[in-house]
Amino acid sequence: MAQSSKVSIVGAGGNVGSIVAYSIAMQGLAHEVILVDRDKDRAEGKALDMNQAAAAVRTHSIVKAAKDYTDIEGSKVVVITAGFPRKPGMSRDDLLFANADIVSEITENIVKHAPDSIIIVVTNPLDTMTYVALKKSGFPKHRVIGMAGILDGARMTHFIYEKLGFGAGQIRATVIGGHGDYMVPLPRYSTVAGIPITDLLTPMELEEVVEATKKGGAQIVQLMGTSAYFAPGKATAIMVEAILKDSKKIYPCSTLLEGEYGVHGIPNGVPVTLGANGVEEIIELQLTPRERKEFQRSVDSVKELIDILEDQNYFGDK
């Protein structure tokens, strides 16, 4: 890790942003972690608390509360977690225009103060907000990435474990598609210690895992009254780590597709290699006709939201 590594989290006063920052600080991934939030006192308090936690485990990460956006200058990665959270009965799509305005404002400040950074978008609806950040920034597509597939894969991993009752830590689950109701869990590409889960679970059990994965976020909203934050925060920190360490690890992330999987001009979750340049390669899986149909349905659901923004001339292209 370069000594000059710096990560900024916008919306760090919220639960997800706090977990991202805390994870990075506890691992000593970045030399500086900048917390950006409209509630500056809250950000200052969290920075103080995290610094004392970092001191306890003796990492070298220093957490600072931003006074304004000039403090993100020099960031290698800027994470956008700011936005309105889901409430019970609310879909991700309900958040469209409200969160698009928030992401647009943040992105404009990133362009002004951290023009060489890589943007990771966490705000929902995830794939559409990734598109908003991409359009508003003008950055190349490899530098604007949505966090989704790592979280969805982790949820699927947990539900596989619940079915099996063994293999914790050895389960690898793959989920592609948009971060929403039309995500595409892929049992064929999921294993336990290298053994395909299709050899360990019945078709009915696999279908139950797939459905539980799709509803995993909504289940937590129903139980807690707000969106999840531990798993999304940790999943985002994993992406930051891959970028800072230039690890070239493969993770499913939302990225703009330009011909891959037969999709043009729409972000969606697919396996990519993450490194110092962001998305360094898009990996095309061989999908069955059914899987391809489900993936296209996911793409179409994202396109519908983008079309709503485009019809309102949201990006000023017309």
Side-chain angles (χ1 to χ4, degrees):
M1 183 192 69
Q3 289 299 311
S4 60
S5 63
K6 180 176 180 178
V7 177
S8 295
I9 297 103
V10 186
N15 289 328
V16 175
S18 296
I19 296 296
V20 177
Y22 180 74
S23 297
I24 292 169
M26 289 302 94
Q27 291 179 255
L29 294 176
H31 183 63
E32 278 188 285
V33 182
I34 306 299
L35 309 184
V36 184
D37 198 85
R38 290 183 176 179
D39 188 337
K40 292 181 172 54
D41 286 344
R42 184 176 179 83
E44 185 71 38
K46 290 201 171 190
L48 185 60
D49 196 10
M50 290 182 204
N51 277 323
Q52 292 167 4
V57 297
R58 299 183 180 179
T59 74
H60 70 280
S61 293
I62 303 300
V63 185
K64 300 178 181 178
K67 294 181 177 61
D68 53 45
Y69 274 102
T70 61
D71 288 329
I72 74 170
E73 290 177 358
S75 295
K76 173 66 177 177
V77 181
V78 180
V79 179
I80 301 176
T81 67
F84 294 104
R86 278 200 299 169
K87 297 295 182 181
M90 179 187 291
S91 74
R92 288 185 174 89
D93 301 357
D94 294 334
L95 303 176
L96 180 60
F97 278 98
N99 281 351
D101 288 344
I102 292 171
V103 170
S104 294
E105 179 186 346
I106 293 167
T107 302
E108 289 167 3
N109 279 292
I110 293 172
V111 171
K112 183 176 180 180
H113 299 289
D116 298 320
S117 64
I118 292 168
I119 299 174
I120 296 178
V121 180
V122 185
T123 306
N124 281 320
L126 188 282
D127 303 274
T128 308
M129 293 304 104
T130 300
Y131 185 84
V132 169
L134 185 67
K135 291 284 285 186
K136 291 292 184 177
S137 67
F139 286 5
K141 69 174 189 176
H142 65 271
R143 287 172 48 206
V144 181
I145 318 165
M147 186 292 297
I150 297 175
L151 169 62
D152 295 329
R155 286 174 173 161
M156 186 177 179
T157 294
H158 174 71
F159 293 126
I160 290 170
Y161 172 76
E162 283 193 334
K163 288 293 185 186
L164 291 173
F166 60 81
Q170 296 179 300
I171 302 170
R172 301 291 182 268
T174 300
V175 180
I176 62 172
H179 185 54
D181 296 335
Y182 297 117
M183 68 179 70
V184 187
L186 294 176
R188 287 195 312 119
Y189 286 99
S190 302
T191 62
V192 183
I195 302 169
I197 65 164
T198 51
D199 291 351
L200 299 171
L201 296 175
T202 67
M204 181 176 292
E205 288 172 328
L206 290 172
E207 188 59 34
E208 289 171 352
V209 166
V210 166
E211 288 306 307
T213 302
K214 291 180 179 180
K215 297 174 182 176
Q219 179 185 15
I220 291 173
V221 171
Q222 189 63 39
L223 290 168
M224 298 202 307
T226 189
S227 298
Y229 44 91
F230 287 112
K234 185 58 181 178
T236 306
I238 287 170
M239 292 175 64
V240 173
E241 179 178 13
I243 293 167
L244 294 181
K245 291 186 175 181
D246 193 23
S247 69
K248 312 281 198 263
K249 286 187 176 180
I250 298 173
Y251 293 116
C253 301
S254 184
T255 187
L256 184 71
L257 300 175
E258 295 181 309
E260 302 89 357
Y261 293 88
V263 177
H264 297 270
I266 304 293
N268 224 250
V270 295
V272 304
T273 58
L274 280 184
N277 297 313
V279 172
E280 301 197 350
E281 184 177 353
I282 294 173
I283 297 169
E284 292 198 58
L285 300 175
Q286 297 301 311
L287 303 179
T288 65
R290 177 183 175 181
E291 291 164 347
R292 187 166 290 278
K293 182 178 180 180
E294 291 177 351
F295 182 74
Q296 186 59 52
R297 183 173 63 174
S298 176
V299 171
D300 290 343
S301 71
V302 176
K303 185 177 184 301
E304 287 177 7
L305 295 184
I306 291 174
D307 285 346
I308 291 171
L309 294 173
E310 296 280 10
D311 288 345
Q312 296 296 319
N313 197 26
Y314 193 81
F315 305 106
D317 297 336
K318 298 176 183 178

